[in-house]
mmCIF file of all heavy atoms in Angstrom:
data_model
loop_
_atom_site.group_PDB
_atom_site.id
_atom_site.type_symbol
_atom_site.label_atom_id
_atom_site.label_comp_id
_atom_site.label_asym_id
_atom_site.label_seq_id
_atom_site.Cartn_x
_atom_site.Cartn_y
_atom_site.Cartn_z
ATOM 1 N N LYS A 122 0.841 -1.197 0.000
ATOM 2 C CA LYS A 122 0.000 0.000 0.000
ATOM 3 C C LYS A 122 0.871 1.240 0.000
ATOM 4 O O LYS A 122 1.705 1.408 0.891
ATOM 5 C CB LYS A 122 -0.908 -0.007 1.219
ATOM 6 C CG LYS A 122 -1.735 -1.265 1.309
ATOM 7 C CD LYS A 122 -2.086 -1.630 2.726
ATOM 8 C CE LYS A 122 -2.484 -3.082 2.841
ATOM 9 N NZ LYS A 122 -1.399 -4.024 2.506
ATOM 10 N N ALA A 123 0.701 2.085 -0.997
ATOM 11 C CA ALA A 123 1.473 3.322 -1.113
ATOM 12 C C ALA A 123 0.550 4.507 -0.848
ATOM 13 O O ALA A 123 -0.537 4.607 -1.411
ATOM 14 C CB ALA A 123 2.088 3.434 -2.507
ATOM 15 N N VAL A 124 0.996 5.416 -0.002
ATOM 16 C CA VAL A 124 0.176 6.526 0.465
ATOM 17 C C VAL A 124 0.092 7.627 -0.599
ATOM 18 O O VAL A 124 1.047 7.886 -1.330
ATOM 19 C CB VAL A 124 0.781 7.080 1.772
ATOM 20 C CG1 VAL A 124 0.121 8.380 2.196
ATOM 21 C CG2 VAL A 124 0.658 6.037 2.881
ATOM 22 N N ARG A 125 -1.058 8.268 -0.669
ATOM 23 C CA ARG A 125 -1.255 9.391 -1.588
ATOM 24 C C ARG A 125 -0.306 10.526 -1.256
ATOM 25 O O ARG A 125 -0.009 10.793 -0.085
ATOM 26 C CB ARG A 125 -2.697 9.920 -1.503
ATOM 27 C CG ARG A 125 -3.759 8.947 -1.891
ATOM 28 C CD ARG A 125 -5.087 9.664 -2.193
ATOM 29 N NE ARG A 125 -5.329 10.843 -1.389
ATOM 30 C CZ ARG A 125 -6.150 10.881 -0.342
ATOM 31 N NH1 ARG A 125 -6.755 9.782 0.059
ATOM 32 N NH2 ARG A 125 -6.341 12.001 0.304
ATOM 33 N N PRO A 126 0.181 11.273 -2.277
ATOM 34 C CA PRO A 126 1.145 12.368 -2.030
ATOM 35 C C PRO A 126 0.625 13.411 -1.059
ATOM 36 O O PRO A 126 1.388 13.920 -0.221
ATOM 37 C CB PRO A 126 1.360 12.957 -3.430
ATOM 38 C CG PRO A 126 1.069 11.839 -4.362
ATOM 39 C CD PRO A 126 -0.031 11.046 -3.719
ATOM 40 N N GLU A 127 -0.657 13.774 -1.144
ATOM 41 C CA GLU A 127 -1.169 14.819 -0.255
ATOM 42 C C GLU A 127 -1.164 14.381 1.200
ATOM 43 O O GLU A 127 -0.981 15.191 2.111
ATOM 44 C CB GLU A 127 -2.567 15.280 -0.679
ATOM 45 C CG GLU A 127 -3.617 14.186 -0.718
ATOM 46 C CD GLU A 127 -3.737 13.517 -2.076
ATOM 47 O OE1 GLU A 127 -2.705 13.386 -2.776
ATOM 48 O OE2 GLU A 127 -4.859 13.122 -2.430
ATOM 49 N N LEU A 128 -1.365 13.069 1.448
ATOM 50 C CA LEU A 128 -1.260 12.566 2.811
ATOM 51 C C LEU A 128 0.189 12.485 3.249
ATOM 52 O O LEU A 128 0.522 12.773 4.400
ATOM 53 C CB LEU A 128 -1.918 11.192 2.915
ATOM 54 C CG LEU A 128 -3.444 11.157 2.872
ATOM 55 C CD1 LEU A 128 -3.946 9.723 2.834
ATOM 56 C CD2 LEU A 128 -4.040 11.888 4.067
ATOM 57 N N ALA A 129 1.051 12.076 2.322
ATOM 58 C CA ALA A 129 2.475 11.967 2.654
ATOM 59 C C ALA A 129 3.044 13.299 3.105
ATOM 60 O O ALA A 129 3.994 13.349 3.891
ATOM 61 C CB ALA A 129 3.247 11.445 1.445
ATOM 62 N N GLY A 130 2.464 14.400 2.623
ATOM 63 C CA GLY A 130 2.949 15.719 3.003
ATOM 64 C C GLY A 130 2.295 16.291 4.243
ATOM 65 O O GLY A 130 2.595 17.426 4.625
ATOM 66 N N ASP A 131 1.427 15.532 4.890
ATOM 67 C CA ASP A 131 0.729 16.004 6.079
ATOM 68 C C ASP A 131 1.445 15.500 7.329
ATOM 69 O O ASP A 131 1.466 14.293 7.586
ATOM 70 C CB ASP A 131 -0.715 15.499 6.058
ATOM 71 C CG ASP A 131 -1.564 16.105 7.166
ATOM 72 O OD1 ASP A 131 -1.149 16.028 8.344
ATOM 73 O OD2 ASP A 131 -2.647 16.629 6.860
ATOM 74 N N PRO A 132 2.030 16.384 8.138
ATOM 75 C CA PRO A 132 2.779 15.938 9.323
ATOM 76 C C PRO A 132 1.923 15.131 10.301
ATOM 77 O O PRO A 132 2.409 14.173 10.908
ATOM 78 C CB PRO A 132 3.265 17.246 9.967
ATOM 79 C CG PRO A 132 3.249 18.242 8.850
ATOM 80 C CD PRO A 132 2.098 17.840 7.967
ATOM 81 N N GLU A 133 0.644 15.502 10.458
ATOM 82 C CA GLU A 133 -0.228 14.771 11.373
ATOM 83 C C GLU A 133 -0.440 13.346 10.876
ATOM 84 O O GLU A 133 -0.412 12.388 11.659
ATOM 85 C CB GLU A 133 -1.576 15.489 11.494
ATOM 86 C CG GLU A 133 -2.611 14.760 12.338
ATOM 87 C CD GLU A 133 -2.261 14.700 13.816
ATOM 88 O OE1 GLU A 133 -1.317 15.402 14.238
ATOM 89 O OE2 GLU A 133 -2.932 13.940 14.543
ATOM 90 N N PHE A 134 -0.646 13.203 9.565
ATOM 91 C CA PHE A 134 -0.801 11.860 9.017
ATOM 92 C C PHE A 134 0.467 11.042 9.248
ATOM 93 O O PHE A 134 0.396 9.884 9.663
ATOM 94 C CB PHE A 134 -1.101 11.896 7.515
ATOM 95 C CG PHE A 134 -0.981 10.540 6.881
ATOM 96 C CD1 PHE A 134 -2.008 9.626 6.983
ATOM 97 C CD2 PHE A 134 0.190 10.154 6.235
ATOM 98 C CE1 PHE A 134 -1.886 8.347 6.440
ATOM 99 C CE2 PHE A 134 0.318 8.892 5.687
ATOM 100 C CZ PHE A 134 -0.725 7.984 5.792
ATOM 101 N N ARG A 135 1.622 11.603 8.966
ATOM 102 C CA ARG A 135 2.876 10.845 9.130
ATOM 103 C C ARG A 135 3.053 10.388 10.566
ATOM 104 O O ARG A 135 3.472 9.252 10.818
ATOM 105 C CB ARG A 135 4.058 11.698 8.685
ATOM 106 C CG ARG A 135 4.251 11.717 7.172
ATOM 107 C CD ARG A 135 5.579 12.366 6.812
ATOM 108 N NE ARG A 135 5.872 12.199 5.407
ATOM 109 C CZ ARG A 135 6.529 11.171 4.884
ATOM 110 N NH1 ARG A 135 6.951 10.202 5.684
ATOM 111 N NH2 ARG A 135 6.766 11.095 3.601
ATOM 112 N N TYR A 136 2.741 11.250 11.512
ATOM 113 C CA TYR A 136 2.867 10.884 12.920
ATOM 114 C C TYR A 136 1.966 9.697 13.247
ATOM 115 O O TYR A 136 2.391 8.717 13.863
ATOM 116 C CB TYR A 136 2.513 12.091 13.792
ATOM 117 C CG TYR A 136 2.417 11.784 15.269
ATOM 118 C CD1 TYR A 136 3.575 11.578 16.038
ATOM 119 C CD2 TYR A 136 1.175 11.676 15.889
ATOM 120 C CE1 TYR A 136 3.476 11.292 17.392
ATOM 121 C CE2 TYR A 136 1.074 11.394 17.238
ATOM 122 C CZ TYR A 136 2.230 11.192 17.982
ATOM 123 O OH TYR A 136 2.134 10.896 19.327
ATOM 124 N N ARG A 137 0.713 9.784 12.794
ATOM 125 C CA ARG A 137 -0.230 8.709 13.081
ATOM 126 C C ARG A 137 0.124 7.439 12.320
ATOM 127 O O ARG A 137 -0.049 6.332 12.823
ATOM 128 C CB ARG A 137 -1.652 9.159 12.745
ATOM 129 C CG ARG A 137 -2.184 10.224 13.689
ATOM 130 C CD ARG A 137 -3.606 10.620 13.325
ATOM 131 N NE ARG A 137 -4.135 11.620 14.232
ATOM 132 C CZ ARG A 137 -4.731 11.360 15.397
ATOM 133 N NH1 ARG A 137 -4.850 10.099 15.781
ATOM 134 N NH2 ARG A 137 -5.188 12.319 16.154
ATOM 135 N N PHE A 138 0.602 7.581 11.108
ATOM 136 C CA PHE A 138 0.961 6.411 10.311
ATOM 137 C C PHE A 138 2.092 5.634 10.981
ATOM 138 O O PHE A 138 2.060 4.398 11.050
ATOM 139 C CB PHE A 138 1.377 6.849 8.912
ATOM 140 C CG PHE A 138 1.612 5.713 7.957
ATOM 141 C CD1 PHE A 138 0.555 4.973 7.459
ATOM 142 C CD2 PHE A 138 2.891 5.388 7.539
ATOM 143 C CE1 PHE A 138 0.764 3.922 6.573
ATOM 144 C CE2 PHE A 138 3.113 4.340 6.662
ATOM 145 C CZ PHE A 138 2.047 3.613 6.176
ATOM 146 N N VAL A 139 3.087 6.340 11.493
ATOM 147 C CA VAL A 139 4.190 5.677 12.199
ATOM 148 C C VAL A 139 3.651 4.903 13.400
ATOM 149 O O VAL A 139 4.041 3.756 13.658
ATOM 150 C CB VAL A 139 5.244 6.704 12.646
ATOM 151 C CG1 VAL A 139 6.253 6.075 13.622
ATOM 152 C CG2 VAL A 139 5.990 7.269 11.438
ATOM 153 N N GLN A 140 2.731 5.512 14.141
ATOM 154 C CA GLN A 140 2.151 4.838 15.305
ATOM 155 C C GLN A 140 1.366 3.591 14.899
ATOM 156 O O GLN A 140 1.502 2.531 15.517
ATOM 157 C CB GLN A 140 1.231 5.801 16.055
ATOM 158 C CG GLN A 140 1.959 6.900 16.820
ATOM 159 C CD GLN A 140 0.984 7.723 17.632
ATOM 160 O OE1 GLN A 140 -0.067 8.135 17.141
ATOM 161 N NE2 GLN A 140 1.315 7.958 18.891
ATOM 162 N N GLU A 141 0.526 3.728 13.872
ATOM 163 C CA GLU A 141 -0.303 2.609 13.451
ATOM 164 C C GLU A 141 0.532 1.464 12.897
ATOM 165 O O GLU A 141 0.233 0.290 13.132
ATOM 166 C CB GLU A 141 -1.330 3.071 12.409
ATOM 167 C CG GLU A 141 -2.338 4.096 12.908
ATOM 168 C CD GLU A 141 -3.332 3.537 13.903
ATOM 169 O OE1 GLU A 141 -3.288 2.328 14.190
ATOM 170 O OE2 GLU A 141 -4.160 4.314 14.402
ATOM 171 N N VAL A 142 1.586 1.788 12.155
ATOM 172 C CA VAL A 142 2.465 0.742 11.628
ATOM 173 C C VAL A 142 3.129 -0.007 12.782
ATOM 174 O O VAL A 142 3.217 -1.237 12.788
ATOM 175 C CB VAL A 142 3.519 1.336 10.678
ATOM 176 C CG1 VAL A 142 4.616 0.319 10.381
ATOM 177 C CG2 VAL A 142 2.866 1.779 9.374
ATOM 178 N N ALA A 143 3.609 0.745 13.780
ATOM 179 C CA ALA A 143 4.249 0.100 14.935
ATOM 180 C C ALA A 143 3.271 -0.831 15.652
ATOM 181 O O ALA A 143 3.643 -1.946 16.061
ATOM 182 C CB ALA A 143 4.772 1.168 15.896
ATOM 183 N N ASN A 144 2.020 -0.390 15.807
ATOM 184 C CA ASN A 144 1.014 -1.240 16.442
ATOM 185 C C ASN A 144 0.752 -2.493 15.616
ATOM 186 O O ASN A 144 0.705 -3.613 16.135
ATOM 187 C CB ASN A 144 -0.294 -0.461 16.614
ATOM 188 C CG ASN A 144 -0.208 0.606 17.686
ATOM 189 O OD1 ASN A 144 0.646 0.541 18.578
ATOM 190 N ND2 ASN A 144 -1.068 1.601 17.601
ATOM 191 N N ALA A 145 0.564 -2.293 14.308
ATOM 192 C CA ALA A 145 0.208 -3.423 13.448
ATOM 193 C C ALA A 145 1.329 -4.453 13.355
ATOM 194 O O ALA A 145 1.071 -5.649 13.226
ATOM 195 C CB ALA A 145 -0.151 -2.913 12.048
ATOM 196 N N ARG A 146 2.571 -4.015 13.429
ATOM 197 C CA ARG A 146 3.697 -4.942 13.298
ATOM 198 C C ARG A 146 3.795 -5.869 14.499
ATOM 199 O O ARG A 146 4.439 -6.912 14.428
ATOM 200 C CB ARG A 146 5.002 -4.176 13.097
ATOM 201 C CG ARG A 146 5.066 -3.444 11.784
ATOM 202 C CD ARG A 146 6.407 -2.794 11.538
ATOM 203 N NE ARG A 146 7.346 -3.742 10.955
ATOM 204 C CZ ARG A 146 8.377 -3.395 10.185
ATOM 205 N NH1 ARG A 146 8.597 -2.134 9.904
ATOM 206 N NH2 ARG A 146 9.179 -4.292 9.706
ATOM 207 N N ARG A 147 3.153 -5.519 15.606
ATOM 208 C CA ARG A 147 3.183 -6.391 16.784
ATOM 209 C C ARG A 147 2.199 -7.547 16.661
ATOM 210 O O ARG A 147 2.270 -8.499 17.431
ATOM 211 C CB ARG A 147 2.854 -5.586 18.047
ATOM 212 C CG ARG A 147 3.856 -4.504 18.389
ATOM 213 C CD ARG A 147 3.720 -4.102 19.857
ATOM 214 N NE ARG A 147 2.374 -3.676 20.187
ATOM 215 C CZ ARG A 147 1.955 -2.415 20.119
ATOM 216 N NH1 ARG A 147 2.781 -1.470 19.701
ATOM 217 N NH2 ARG A 147 0.721 -2.097 20.459
ATOM 218 N N ILE A 148 1.266 -7.451 15.729
ATOM 219 C CA ILE A 148 0.195 -8.435 15.639
ATOM 220 C C ILE A 148 0.670 -9.658 14.869
ATOM 221 O O ILE A 148 1.147 -9.561 13.743
ATOM 222 C CB ILE A 148 -1.049 -7.825 14.956
ATOM 223 C CG1 ILE A 148 -1.584 -6.668 15.806
ATOM 224 C CG2 ILE A 148 -2.120 -8.884 14.734
ATOM 225 C CD1 ILE A 148 -2.646 -5.839 15.111
ATOM 226 N N ARG A 149 0.552 -10.823 15.489
ATOM 227 C CA ARG A 149 0.895 -12.087 14.855
ATOM 228 C C ARG A 149 -0.257 -13.050 15.069
ATOM 229 O O ARG A 149 -0.700 -13.252 16.189
ATOM 230 C CB ARG A 149 2.184 -12.676 15.467
ATOM 231 C CG ARG A 149 3.424 -11.824 15.260
ATOM 232 C CD ARG A 149 3.878 -11.882 13.796
ATOM 233 N NE ARG A 149 5.121 -11.148 13.593
ATOM 234 C CZ ARG A 149 5.186 -9.869 13.288
ATOM 235 N NH1 ARG A 149 4.064 -9.158 13.203
ATOM 236 N NH2 ARG A 149 6.339 -9.280 13.095
ATOM 237 N N GLY A 150 -0.755 -13.630 14.014
ATOM 238 C CA GLY A 150 -1.855 -14.568 14.172
ATOM 239 C C GLY A 150 -2.133 -15.298 12.874
ATOM 240 O O GLY A 150 -1.953 -14.751 11.787
ATOM 241 N N LEU A 151 -2.561 -16.552 12.983
ATOM 242 C CA LEU A 151 -2.837 -17.352 11.801
ATOM 243 C C LEU A 151 -4.032 -16.832 11.023
ATOM 244 O O LEU A 151 -4.177 -17.130 9.837
ATOM 245 C CB LEU A 151 -3.080 -18.809 12.209
ATOM 246 C CG LEU A 151 -1.887 -19.548 12.812
ATOM 247 C CD1 LEU A 151 -2.307 -20.942 13.262
ATOM 248 C CD2 LEU A 151 -0.748 -19.645 11.802
ATOM 249 N N TYR A 152 -4.899 -16.072 11.688
ATOM 250 C CA TYR A 152 -6.097 -15.582 11.016
ATOM 251 C C TYR A 152 -6.022 -14.082 10.734
ATOM 252 O O TYR A 152 -7.051 -13.414 10.621
ATOM 253 C CB TYR A 152 -7.337 -15.914 11.846
ATOM 254 C CG TYR A 152 -7.542 -17.401 12.003
ATOM 255 C CD1 TYR A 152 -7.384 -18.027 13.230
ATOM 256 C CD2 TYR A 152 -7.865 -18.193 10.898
ATOM 257 C CE1 TYR A 152 -7.561 -19.392 13.372
ATOM 258 C CE2 TYR A 152 -8.033 -19.560 11.028
ATOM 259 C CZ TYR A 152 -7.880 -20.151 12.260
ATOM 260 O OH TYR A 152 -8.040 -21.512 12.392
ATOM 261 N N THR A 153 -4.826 -13.554 10.599
ATOM 262 C CA THR A 153 -4.634 -12.172 10.185
ATOM 263 C C THR A 153 -3.682 -12.133 8.991
ATOM 264 O O THR A 153 -2.916 -13.067 8.773
ATOM 265 C CB THR A 153 -4.030 -11.315 11.317
ATOM 266 O OG1 THR A 153 -2.715 -11.802 11.641
ATOM 267 C CG2 THR A 153 -4.906 -11.332 12.563
ATOM 268 N N ALA A 154 -3.784 -11.052 8.221
ATOM 269 C CA ALA A 154 -2.825 -10.816 7.146
ATOM 270 C C ALA A 154 -1.735 -9.918 7.726
ATOM 271 O O ALA A 154 -1.911 -8.703 7.858
ATOM 272 C CB ALA A 154 -3.500 -10.153 5.945
ATOM 273 N N GLU A 155 -0.616 -10.510 8.097
ATOM 274 C CA GLU A 155 0.396 -9.806 8.885
ATOM 275 C C GLU A 155 1.153 -8.760 8.081
ATOM 276 O O GLU A 155 1.345 -8.888 6.874
ATOM 277 C CB GLU A 155 1.391 -10.815 9.459
ATOM 278 C CG GLU A 155 0.782 -11.773 10.461
ATOM 279 C CD GLU A 155 1.820 -12.709 11.053
ATOM 280 O OE1 GLU A 155 3.008 -12.530 10.756
ATOM 281 O OE2 GLU A 155 1.436 -13.615 11.803
ATOM 282 N N VAL A 156 1.581 -7.736 8.799
ATOM 283 C CA VAL A 156 2.483 -6.750 8.223
ATOM 284 C C VAL A 156 3.866 -7.390 8.102
ATOM 285 O O VAL A 156 4.388 -7.951 9.062
ATOM 286 C CB VAL A 156 2.556 -5.492 9.114
ATOM 287 C CG1 VAL A 156 3.618 -4.531 8.601
ATOM 288 C CG2 VAL A 156 1.195 -4.816 9.174
ATOM 289 N N VAL A 157 4.454 -7.323 6.908
ATOM 290 C CA VAL A 157 5.766 -7.926 6.701
ATOM 291 C C VAL A 157 6.871 -6.883 6.531
ATOM 292 O O VAL A 157 8.048 -7.185 6.736
ATOM 293 C CB VAL A 157 5.768 -8.881 5.492
ATOM 294 C CG1 VAL A 157 4.827 -10.047 5.739
ATOM 295 C CG2 VAL A 157 5.363 -8.164 4.204
ATOM 296 N N ASP A 158 6.516 -5.661 6.170
ATOM 297 C CA ASP A 158 7.530 -4.627 5.978
ATOM 298 C C ASP A 158 6.815 -3.285 5.853
ATOM 299 O O ASP A 158 5.607 -3.231 5.588
ATOM 300 C CB ASP A 158 8.358 -4.907 4.716
ATOM 301 C CG ASP A 158 9.711 -4.208 4.720
ATOM 302 O OD1 ASP A 158 10.003 -3.469 5.688
ATOM 303 O OD2 ASP A 158 10.474 -4.393 3.759
ATOM 304 N N ALA A 159 7.546 -2.217 6.052
ATOM 305 C CA ALA A 159 6.952 -0.882 5.941
ATOM 306 C C ALA A 159 8.044 0.153 5.758
ATOM 307 O O ALA A 159 9.190 -0.044 6.163
ATOM 308 C CB ALA A 159 6.119 -0.555 7.185
ATOM 309 N N GLY A 160 7.659 1.251 5.151
ATOM 310 C CA GLY A 160 8.543 2.406 5.011
ATOM 311 C C GLY A 160 7.817 3.652 5.475
ATOM 312 O O GLY A 160 7.480 4.521 4.654
ATOM 313 N N PRO A 161 7.553 3.786 6.768
ATOM 314 C CA PRO A 161 6.772 4.936 7.256
ATOM 315 C C PRO A 161 7.482 6.272 7.097
ATOM 316 O O PRO A 161 6.824 7.313 7.064
ATOM 317 C CB PRO A 161 6.537 4.599 8.735
ATOM 318 C CG PRO A 161 7.643 3.664 9.093
ATOM 319 C CD PRO A 161 7.922 2.869 7.858
ATOM 320 N N ASP A 162 8.811 6.253 6.982
ATOM 321 C CA ASP A 162 9.564 7.494 6.857
ATOM 322 C C ASP A 162 10.002 7.779 5.422
ATOM 323 O O ASP A 162 10.705 8.761 5.176
ATOM 324 C CB ASP A 162 10.805 7.440 7.760
ATOM 325 C CG ASP A 162 10.427 7.292 9.228
ATOM 326 O OD1 ASP A 162 9.466 7.960 9.654
ATOM 327 O OD2 ASP A 162 11.078 6.500 9.929
ATOM 328 N N ALA A 163 9.596 6.946 4.483
ATOM 329 C CA ALA A 163 9.961 7.150 3.087
ATOM 330 C C ALA A 163 9.251 8.383 2.531
ATOM 331 O O ALA A 163 8.231 8.819 3.069
ATOM 332 C CB ALA A 163 9.591 5.924 2.260
ATOM 333 N N PRO A 164 9.786 8.992 1.463
ATOM 334 C CA PRO A 164 9.094 10.138 0.852
ATOM 335 C C PRO A 164 7.625 9.819 0.537
ATOM 336 O O PRO A 164 6.746 10.648 0.745
ATOM 337 C CB PRO A 164 9.910 10.394 -0.417
ATOM 338 C CG PRO A 164 11.289 9.895 -0.084
ATOM 339 C CD PRO A 164 11.065 8.694 0.799
#
């Protein structure tokens, strides 16, 4: 999933995105589609 440019330029979105990615990466389960990688600080 690649974020829209207008969201990528929003500091509030970036802050929340980093938090949500960190939360999601902790989730492990056979009945979830796990997060395998992320670039929250990428352009």
Side-chain angles (χ1 to χ4, degrees):
K122 305 151 199 64
V124 170
R125 298 198 326 258
E127 58 269 34
L128 287 174
D131 188 307
E133 175 68 11
F134 168 80
R135 279 190 171 271
Y136 172 75
R137 291 181 179 274
F138 187 72
V139 169
Q140 288 185 313
E141 297 290 357
V142 167
N144 288 338
R146 293 185 85 154
R147 296 199 304 269
I148 297 169
R149 297 288 184 271
L151 295 176
Y152 297 111
T153 64
E155 295 183 6
V156 173
V157 297
D158 201 358
D162 299 318

